[in-house]
Amino acid sequence: MATGSRLAVVSGGGTGIGKQIARMFASQGDRVVVIGRREELLRQARAEINEATGADHVIPVSADLTDPKQVRGAAARIAELGAVDVLVNNAGAIIRPPADESLEALARSWQHDLNINLLTAVLLTNALLQQLSRPGGRLIMVSSAAAQRGGAGSHSAGSYAAAKAALHGWALGLARQLGKDGITVNVLAPGYVQETDIFHGQDTADFVTAKVAETLVGRAGTPADVAAAIRYISSPAAGYLTGQIIGLNGGAVLGR
């Protein structure tokens, strides 16, 4: 199916990278469902995208994607819109440091981070699996360079890197499972991207300088860079691209 007549679903679509991805789909005429926990942010994203594109292609759906009941409800609403041509699992990146040094606090912290960064994708994907277009569906996981080289610092703790790495193995299995149906499954692993909330205010001038110095191109990434990559991966032209972990990091992590 050509772009401009598809239905795309973007989790975490109310802010940052997710909002830019949603804007990209809307700008090419696709209908796009943006899912997030905060209804007000989704409404704001819809208004911003509508103003930027001069059209109304955005459908906000509020849901906590760690809650199976709410995921089921969101999937039912999406089913009313027709087959899903593109599903971008972008939700995540909310890190909760342990409250103290106990194992109990560590367990709570890790469970939270695994739920936000892994379980959200697992539940939403499975809820929408039968609605994915066959053939031609595009299933995309947004991961992180931290999954490829390990997390560092409180903004990218071990639990975050581990959760994102888990997406990789799961996605590769889905690619094997869904290939016969003409559905591609890929992972996009961005490096340092500015204009997001992931760093919780820790992106000081020194922090940014250090991150940029790790790249080979001498700059930070932007949400628009991520959206541009998603544009191709999700396109009808990308039908031979599946089962891949695609690094988008300015050369900070070399391909392997």
Side-chain angles (χ1 to χ4, degrees), residues 167-243:
L167 285 176
H168 296 191
W170 174 58
L172 298 183
L174 283 175
R176 291 181 179 277
Q177 173 187 339
L178 298 174
K180 66 181 183 301
D181 295 329
I183 297 172
T184 66
V185 185
N186 291 288
V187 178
L188 184 67
Y192 175 55
V193 176
Q194 289 182 316
E195 304 170 39
T196 71
D197 296 330
I198 183 175
F199 299 101
H200 307 296
Q202 298 175 50
D203 46 349
T204 62
D206 288 344
F207 177 89
V208 173
T209 297
K211 285 294 185 182
V212 169
E214 293 178 349
T215 73
L216 303 181
V217 297
R219 72 169 178 87
T222 67
D225 289 321
V226 180
I230 296 289
R231 184 193 298 271
Y232 173 68
I233 299 169
S234 65
S235 73
Y240 198 56
L241 178 69
T242 194

Side-chain angles (χ1 to χ4, degrees), residues 17 137 162 173:
I17 289 172

